[in-house]
Amino acid sequence: MAAECEIDRCAVLAIGRCRECGRAFCMSHQAHNEVTGEGYAALCIQCLERRSRVRGGRDAGDAQVEAREATERTWVTSGQAAMDFYAAGIAPIPIVERRKRLVPQRFGRPREVLDELEVGALWVIGRFEWTEMQEIPETREWTTGLLARPGGGYPVSMFARAVARCKVTEGLATLVRDATYGDSWTQLERREIPRIVAAIRQKISAAR
């Protein structure tokens, strides 16, 4: 029998169970990453709020650190980090997509042709942790790049839209996308954001 949401006597069909309080939660009562906007697979909204209240007792030094980190995130999400890469003379590498097409033949079956299309560009930053959100979340390091132009361009609303997982071969990058089918998706770990910002600044400084 399917579980029902146990938060505030909701009773809507549950999509997960909180690892902190043990209660089942529905989509409306699922906690979301405040940076990426994506849902946590095993955390309810009440436990996330409880964490926030605990952090609310931070001292002035913690508040200054948080404000500085917010400024750093804005530097990336506004597109200024990408502009600083260009200003430092660092060119991004092309992002290509491989697409198959069938070419009709005079005799026999159509021939399959693989085309490589340039669909964007990025700067490779390093390897950082991303978590695949599935029944059992899996966290591992992926090569991560700063997009020269995210979908729609800058600014972007979330840090994770300015960066992407990628694979690099012979100076060309291909984006790593989530599975077409199924309920899993992948989100950037929040603790990696300051490390990514630091890596970007280091690469820009080294080129100047």
Side-chain angles (χ1 to χ4, degrees), residues 49 76 83 154 164 175 182:
E49 290 172 350
V76 174
M83 295 298 293
Y154 287 108
L175 297 184

Side-chain angles (χ1 to χ4, degrees), residues 20-97:
E20 294 195 5
C21 67
R23 294 178 296 175
F25 57 80
C26 66
M27 188 175 295
S28 296
H29 289 110
Q30 180 184 25
H32 286 75
N33 186 300
E34 60 192 38
V35 176
T36 66
E38 295 167 336
Y40 288 108
L43 187 66
C44 73
I45 192 169
Q46 289 188 351
C47 285
L48 180 63
E49 290 172 350
R50 192 178 301 113
R51 287 182 181 182
S52 299
R53 287 195 296 272
V54 171
R55 290 198 303 266
R58 63 187 183 275
D59 58 27
D62 291 336
Q64 290 176 355
V65 169
E66 190 168 305
R68 183 168 64 251
E69 289 180 350
T71 300
E72 295 282 64
R73 290 197 299 269
T74 301
W75 175 64
V76 174
T77 59
S78 67
Q80 187 59 51
M83 295 298 293
D84 289 349
F85 261 124
Y86 283 120
I90 307 173
I93 64 174
I95 299 172
V96 297
E97 281 189 0

Side-chain angles (χ1 to χ4, degrees), residues 75-122:
W75 175 64
V76 174
T77 59
S78 67
Q80 187 59 51
M83 295 298 293
D84 289 349
F85 261 124
Y86 283 120
I90 307 173
I93 64 174
I95 299 172
V96 297
E97 281 189 0
R98 295 176 174 85
R99 298 176 183 174
K100 295 179 181 179
R101 60 187 175 93
L102 297 176
V103 178
Q105 301 296 299
R106 187 171 182 179
F107 301 103
R109 294 182 178 181
R111 179 168 56 90
E112 187 176 85
V113 176
L114 187 64
D115 293 325
E116 285 192 348
L117 304 177
E118 187 173 331
V119 296
L122 58 74

